[in-house]
Amino acid sequence: MKSGRLTPLLLSVLFSSLLSFAALAADGTINPGEMTTVPRSVFQKELTWVLFYAAFPPEHRPAKLFLVQYDTATGAYTTLGLMTDDGVMGDQIAHDGTYTRKIQYKSKKAGMVSFAAVEIPETGLPPDGVAARFQAAPHVQLEVIGRPTFPALLSMVWKKITGASIDQSK
């Protein structure tokens, strides 16, 4: 690989890593009733591992919890799998009240994508269906961003590190 092509790749990896570190609290936990992802942003048209975390207090540990995606364009809900609190597949500590699901995610378009940790009872979905349960469940949004040009990527990394923008008009 030529060194000219290596630099944008390294900056892309650096930028993705910087986005990832902002997802959890300094001690690596989230508050009960909240949901988060690592990373918080992904590039469109790129297959990326994403971890989803949803925390619940001891008095309300769901029997079955599913990761559900909502597509704003079509209004469709997609169940992406069972979230677990068993200490495997991305879940760090078993039975701590933080449920986890690790998926490979890829989106064709840029924008915000909504996810929720939806509790579905053993008896199945009640008449209110997924929509009402999705709205009441802990939510998180994953930002899907278009792959930036090299100067734009450099500017984003610089702004993330220093808080200042690079003037690209010169």
Side-chain angles (χ1 to χ4, degrees), residues 96-131:
D96 65 345
T98 300
Y99 292 74
T100 308
R101 178 72 188 184
K102 182 178 182 180
I103 64 168
Q104 283 190 302
Y105 186 77
K106 183 178 181 179
S107 177
K108 293 181 181 178
K109 58 185 177 182
M112 300 302 282
V113 183
S114 295
F115 296 87
V118 178
E119 184 177 2
I120 298 178
E122 294 290 336
T123 57
L125 279 174
D128 65 358
V130 175

Side-chain angles (χ1 to χ4, degrees), residues 11 14-15 18 153-164:
L11 284 172
L14 174 65
F15 184 66
L18 289 170
L153 180 64
L154 185 60
S155 179
M156 286 189 285
V157 170
W158 182 258
K159 186 174 183 179
K160 190 80 170 171
I161 292 170
T162 66

Side-chain angles (χ1 to χ4, degrees), residues 59-134:
E59 62 274 5
H60 181 71
R61 301 275 165 87
K64 281 196 175 179
L65 192 66
F66 290 88
L67 178 63
V68 177
Q69 176 184 342
Y70 176 66
D71 185 342
T72 54
T74 64
Y77 295 91
T78 305
T79 302
L80 302 175
L82 186 66
M83 296 185 77
T84 61
D85 185 18
D86 57 5
V88 296
M89 293 298 293
D91 188 55
Q92 296 175 350
I93 301 170
H95 313 295
D96 65 345
T98 300
Y99 292 74
T100 308
R101 178 72 188 184
K102 182 178 182 180
I103 64 168
Q104 283 190 302
Y105 186 77
K106 183 178 181 179
S107 177
K108 293 181 181 178
K109 58 185 177 182
M112 300 302 282
V113 183
S114 295
F115 296 87
V118 178
E119 184 177 2
I120 298 178
E122 294 290 336
T123 57
L125 279 174
D128 65 358
V130 175
R133 290 191 174 262
F134 187 93

